[in-house]
Amino acid sequence: MVPKVAIYDFTDCEGCEVKLVSIREKLLILEKRIDIVNWRLGQEDNKPGPFDLTIIEGTPITQHEVDLLKKLRQDSKVLIALGACATLGGIPAILDKKERAKWYKKIYGEEYKPRGIDALPLSAYVKVDFLIHGCPIDENELIRIFQELLAGKTPAYRGYSVCFECKQANNPCRIINGQPCLGPITQGGCGSICIKGGSPCYGCFGLRQEANVKGLVEVLQGLTDKKEIERYFTMFLSRAFDK
Amino acid sequence: MEFVIEKKKIDKWLDDLKKDFKVIDIRGKALPAKQYFLPPKQKTFVFNKKTKKLSCPEYKKEFLVFGLGLADLEAMTQLDEIMEKPYSDFFYWQKRNKSLIIGLVDESIEVAPGGDVILEKITDQQYRALILTDKGKAIIKDEFFDKKDKPSIKNYPQPDNPFKRMLLDSELLAEAVKWSLNHKIWDKLGEQCLGCGICTYVCPLCHCFSIEDQVSLDNKECSRCRQWDACTLPEFSKVAGGHNFHKTIKQRYYNWFYHKFVRAYHEYGKSQCVACGRCRENCPAGIKISEVLKEIVDDYKKHLSAI
Ligand code: SF4
Ligand code: SF4
Ligand code: SF4
Ligand code: SF4
Ligand code: SF4
């Protein structure tokens, strides 16, 4: 039986869906093994559930989207979150609430009643079966996860940190050179792409299992001040930092 | 008869070798030479579902790894032993047998620790070739090396390394690390260590890997990959059913020491450490293995004298 698959998106930049399209000929191979019955971005003819697998990109920020998410959960055997917005809240969740209140008043006036809901990961509302992290996701990881699903396996998270791939890329270590980096506590899979490009790792692949957050914060305290460390964590891992 | 090469000719010699070999210069690389024989990620075999045939990637071209220092050479000799006993590791030797190892050593050598050829510094401008194998002999060409009866040889002493001296008594290290299981230092390290695995990746002797099977997207092939694992990582000691032998970083970090200094001593008669210093240089938490060992050994000695 060819599994019925739906791909939905809530608030986000759609970059992870673009990544899905960018696997090109692999997507054509995939299409032969699954039946994409609903994909707003990819096709015109869309059917309602139930679905064997629903992939959701983005995060709900209106009540309508939250309701749809709950309905999709009911209609789907397996529900997978695609990209950091869906898995962690991502970019929409960075927002500073105090600043938002200030700008609401400034732009829309005192009378305005905000309708927006704070961006949270999908798992704040429904049970999510697997998280495909990344901002954006990595194509090879996406293919790996599809391979596992189609082989009837439960997909596995990467048990190693970004540092593994960073060492393979022969990048000079930022922390050793006195610059902050969240690589040691972040799940690998991205190929350390940011460090390769001269940026720190901000943790978009999510916390690696059993990550030593406290230990890393202590190391970072030797490199920079508390505010700066907080700034690093607010990108994707603010929920880990609060704990 | 000695074979002497001018320092400035070394790169030209390497260029010439590129005609016959794939030449890998490891100077300045974070990962040690083991990566070319036991790659971080490797497909070991592929099963074709239609033909029901197994195939194994073949490595045809000979390759040459250049630039190993004394500790690296010693580590390669030891890794060869590990990969031979008790079972020969087919995939390691498949590559190793196709390779040549060339050392580049700036200190005077007392005993050549391994490799096919070692270039040993003899004056500020010259190295001599210590030829250790027939394969090595074949690449020493007259074009680049001068034959000399009695070249002038300066002495470049190896810097004193207390860590290295400590390793000479591997029996004491084995006893001390074993004894230290309940030492408070492991509590501290259990908090400090980020469990990133870097120390293991950069160690020229760590050789653990995990196995991952894949079915291709088109469902035509299955392949078995192996990739480096590290005993500080959470999946390392997990078994079926989710049970984990080493639940905490503290236990896992202790295992790193236990394997290197206790188990290795019992299995091979020596520690699996050559004091290369890579784990210390690359640890983001600033943990210094030599200082950890020293504290343990000192306290063990105190414990012995108190009995
Ligand atoms: S730069 Fe960051 S990711 Fe890379 S090794 Fe250092 S800590 Fe790890
Ligand atoms: S290096 Fe870090 S921030 Fe960059 S893609 Fe990888 S996990 Fe995300
Ligand atoms: S490199 Fe340092 S922090 Fe990372 S696992 Fe090794 S000891 Fe722990
Ligand atoms: S010093 Fe560290 S990296 Fe070097 S051999 Fe010893 S344990 Fe391995
Ligand atoms: S020290 Fe750990 S990673 Fe290294 S070889 Fe031993 S068990 Fe494996």
Side-chain angles (χ1 to χ4, degrees), chain B residues 182-202:
Chain B
N182 296 314
H183 196 290
K184 59 182 185 317
I185 193 166
W186 301 115
D187 293 311
K188 195 178 86 192
L189 290 165
E191 282 170 19
Q192 238 183 331
C193 171
L194 306 174
C196 64
I198 290 179
C199 46
T200 305
Y201 306 140
V202 300

Side-chain angles (χ1 to χ4, degrees), chain A residues 2 54 63 68 82 105 111 116 119 138 144 167 173 186 198 201 216 225 235:
Chain A
V2 180
T54 300
Q63 192 53 47
L68 177 58
L82 183 77
K105 270 187 205 152
E111 303 300 304
D138 176 85
R144 174 182 75 89
K167 281 281 151 285
C173 177
T186 303
C201 172
L216 181 66
D225 56 40
M235 283 288 276

